[in-house]
Amino acid sequence: MTTPSTDPNSSSFFDPGDDLTTRVQSVRDGKTTTSLRLESMLTAAESTNPSLHAFHEVLTDFARATAASVDARLAAGEDPGPLAGSVIAVKDNICTTEGRTTCGSRMLENYRSPFDATVITRLLDAGATLIGKTNMDEFAMGSSTETCAWGPVRNPHGINRVPGGSSGGSAVAVAAGIADAALGSDTGGSIRQPAAFCGCVGFKPTYGRISRFGLVAFGSSLDQIGPLTRSVRDAAAIYEVLAGVDSNDATTSDLPVEPSMADGPFDPASLRVGIPREHYTTRNHPGVTERLERIIDSLRAVGATIIDIDLPLTDYGISTYYVIAPAEASSNLSRYDGIRYGYRADPRPGEGLEELYARTRSEGFGPEVQRRIMLGTYVLSAGYYGAYYKRALQVRRLIKQEFDAAFTKCDVLLGPTSPHPAFQIGAKLEPISMYLNDVYTVNANIAGIPAISIPGGMVEENGEALPIGLQLQAPAFHETSLLRIASTIESLVRSA
Ligand code: GLN
């Protein structure tokens, strides 16, 4: 369990023969046990947390008890489920009855959920061992994990750099070998962008594929849970456990969830890869452009058809997202009033309820969350609703139609996950520059389509070798073909 090297010549890729899928098999084959594997990860968590800060809480006792019971069941010839033997980390906005669920916020510092999220129940039922809760931007608002009330998370590929966000702790847990995989949530890119910055795979399924029951709501029409992993087939394995209808979430789809990797990778010669012109601009880091060009060349070399696609609404995504997401957040976060949940300011003599609410929310929420609540309240106010919120919903429809048209010409869209690799801690604290990180990721949430980030190799910046991500997007509910195509491109990228 070593931290990835920061040596610029080091390989950017995980060993393909050492992912969750193979590790789980080695436990089944009796070569190791869940408990032994867990102990080495607990040691890694303890030794790296002071520097990397991936975890807010390590669930040592619970994890040990689960691992021991998984091993006992395997020894007794039972099948504890497809994820038996695996160790998984969970973003701290996903409710667990074990430990706290803080959302990286003082507002929920001591919150203990009375129920498990559906995804937690499904992971445990599949035999997974949960190692702990990972740090995140406060209420998942951010792209760097710097808004976490417990301090920033650091990138193992460059200790003074951000891991991306908001699922930064989950990405670092996977990148630094402290978990086989992790769960994140993605409202505008929060699984894919940290996966890109940390050299992992990050998968956001179609809106409605995975239950949001027990995910603390940020932007309910955009939020989706998904895995961060070492390989595409790991992402598929976890996705298949999590996906499917849930009576506790009326937005889940009852479409069947197919075993995505059953038919193996896609034949590259039959692939139609769309390249959105608007994702190849001068705003991209030169190393990102160079890597992409090499990967497109190697796709051509194996016979894939490369198709130029126009997505002229790309740049409207950020403005649309930053109206819709804060609007929904301002409504979702109104429940934190100091009375029903979480933090409450010390009452002052003679103070009324309104003042107590206001002080509780001013003290409990950090500046970015307050900014979003104000922005959201403003765009929903009677005088501005039509000019901002209603207009954003209209643009949302147009963005969806733009994707629908693109997918009549190609099977997937390929581009960078982020315009640049991980940036220095503190470099993008000005909100607009932070928001622009997500220029390529928000539109998948706006349209509700599935999207995955896979490692794209390393680029150099100031003498540091940093991972970049490639994003693949597909039509709604086409997870099976997206994962198969991603797996094909994943192997191509290694040699590009
Ligand atoms: N970075 C975006 C934001 O700050 C997206 C966050 C997310 O996907 N949770 O809102």
Side-chain angles (χ1 to χ4, degrees):
M1 295 305 136
T2 49
T3 298
S5 163
T6 48
D7 171 359
N9 298 317
S10 72
S11 165
S12 55
F13 300 110
F14 292 114
D15 173 358
D18 182 25
D19 62 0
L20 177 146
T21 314
T22 47
R23 291 169 176 192
V24 159
Q25 195 53 45
S26 67
V27 173
R28 281 186 185 271
D29 294 344
K31 293 187 190 130
T32 181
T33 64
T34 317
S35 295
L36 279 173
R37 303 198 58 247
L38 171 69
E39 287 309 319
S40 73
M41 294 199 195
L42 288 171
T43 307
E46 201 179 337
S47 65
T48 59
N49 222 37
S51 54
L52 298 175
H53 198 223
F55 284 86
H56 182 54
E57 191 172 5
V58 177
L59 302 172
T60 309
D61 294 343
F62 176 61
R64 282 188 173 142
T66 316
S69 121
V70 167
D71 288 335
R73 290 181 62 194
L74 283 169
E78 290 173 38
D79 182 2
L83 299 180
S86 69
V87 177
I88 296 184
V90 177
K91 188 174 179 178
D92 207 15
N93 59 350
I94 297 177
C95 287
T96 48
T97 49
E98 291 296 327
R100 285 163 291 170
T101 299
T102 72
C103 290
S105 179
R106 300 222 168 273
M107 190 56 101
L108 290 176
E109 186 163 5
N110 296 310
Y111 178 68
R112 285 180 183 275
S113 171
F115 64 94
D116 278 327
T118 298
V119 291
I120 297 298
T121 312
R122 291 189 180 182
L123 281 183
L124 292 172
D125 287 349
T129 294
L130 307 184
I131 184 170
K133 305 295 289 284
T134 57
N135 279 317
M136 54 181 280
D137 278 302
E138 186 176 4
F139 282 99
M141 296 173 188
S143 307
S144 66
T145 317
E146 289 167 288
T147 73
C148 177
W150 328 121
V153 177
R154 288 169 182 270
N155 192 321
H157 291 275
I159 204 70
N160 293 320
R161 295 186 182 254
V162 304
S166 62
S167 313
S170 288
V172 172
V174 176
I178 317 168
D180 296 317
L183 294 190
S185 66
D186 192 311
T187 304
S190 279
I191 291 174
R192 291 161 284 157
Q193 184 255 18
F197 280 15
C198 293
C200 325
V201 171
F203 178 36
K204 180 204 92 71
T206 306
Y207 181 79
R209 264 302 195 189
I210 294 182
S211 170
R212 291 178 293 113
F213 178 72
L215 169 68
V216 177
F218 165 10
S220 307
S221 76
L222 304 157
D223 298 339
Q224 188 60 201
I225 294 173
L228 291 105
T229 57
R230 297 166 72 93
S231 69
V232 173
R233 68 176 181 165
D234 283 357
I238 294 178
Y239 159 74
E240 283 159 30
V241 163
L242 304 181
V245 70
D246 175 20
S247 56
N248 281 322
D249 177 356
T251 63
T252 50
S253 159
D254 59 4
L255 282 176
V257 180
E258 293 153 9
S260 0
M261 304 313 267
D263 295 329
F266 226 77
D267 170 15
S270 68
L271 255 181
R272 294 176 308 157
V273 181
I275 308 290
R277 238 183 270 276
E278 293 75 7
H279 291 206
Y280 292 79
T281 66
T282 48
R283 85 177 128 220
N284 293 347
H285 184 283
V288 170
T289 308
E290 199 189 302
R291 281 299 299 160
L292 280 162
E293 282 169 358
R294 282 175 65 167
I295 290 154
I296 293 169
D297 284 346
S298 54
L299 275 165
R300 267 203 197 95
V302 293
T305 311
I306 305 293
I307 300 160
D308 282 331
I309 298 284
D310 280 313
L311 293 178
L313 294 176
T314 299
D315 282 358
Y316 292 91
I318 290 289
S319 350
T320 308
Y321 174 84
Y322 278 97
V323 172
I324 296 173
E328 295 183 10
S330 71
S331 167
N332 279 323
L333 271 62
S334 65
R335 73 191 66 180
Y336 305 107
D337 57 8
I339 307 299
R340 287 171 290 188
Y341 289 99
Y343 178 81
R344 180 184 299 176
D346 286 336
R348 288 180 183 158
E351 186 178 64
L353 192 58
E354 291 291 332
E355 289 101 316
L356 182 63
Y357 286 158
R359 266 192 328 107
T360 294
R361 289 166 65 82
S362 308
E363 292 169 20
F365 289 135
E368 183 59 26
V369 175
Q370 294 191 29
R371 183 178 297 120
R372 305 275 180 119
I373 292 172
M374 286 191 283
L375 191 60
T377 310
Y378 180 79
V379 299
L380 289 176
S381 60
Y384 293 97
Y385 177 91
Y388 294 109
Y389 184 67
K390 192 163 163 238
R391 175 74 57 95
L393 293 185
Q394 288 165 337
V395 180
R396 181 176 201 171
R397 166 64 63 95
L398 295 175
I399 290 172
K400 169 85 174 69
Q401 288 169 352
E402 191 170 89
F403 277 119
D404 290 345
F407 290 127
T408 61
K409 302 184 193 127
C410 61
D411 307 310
V412 283
L413 292 166
L414 169 70
T417 306
S418 165
H420 44 68
F423 48 88
Q424 301 275 347
I425 289 180
K428 291 189 190 277
L429 293 180
E430 186 276 312
I432 302 292
S433 66
M434 186 66 81
Y435 298 170
L436 285 171
N437 265 284
D438 301 316
V439 62
Y440 302 137
T441 51
V442 289
N443 282 0
N445 303 73
I446 289 172
I449 60 172
I452 189 167
S453 178
I454 61 172
M458 295 300 232
V459 302
E460 214 235 58
E461 194 176 83
N462 299 337
E464 283 181 293
L466 301 165
I468 61 149
L470 298 177
Q471 177 175 243
L472 291 160
Q473 304 180 86
F477 298 106
H478 284 222
E479 276 83 2
T480 304
S481 53
L482 176 61
L483 288 163
R484 287 179 64 209
I485 294 168
S487 175
T488 304
I489 297 182
E490 180 183 47
S491 356
L492 268 179
V493 170
R494 285 176 185 275
S495 43

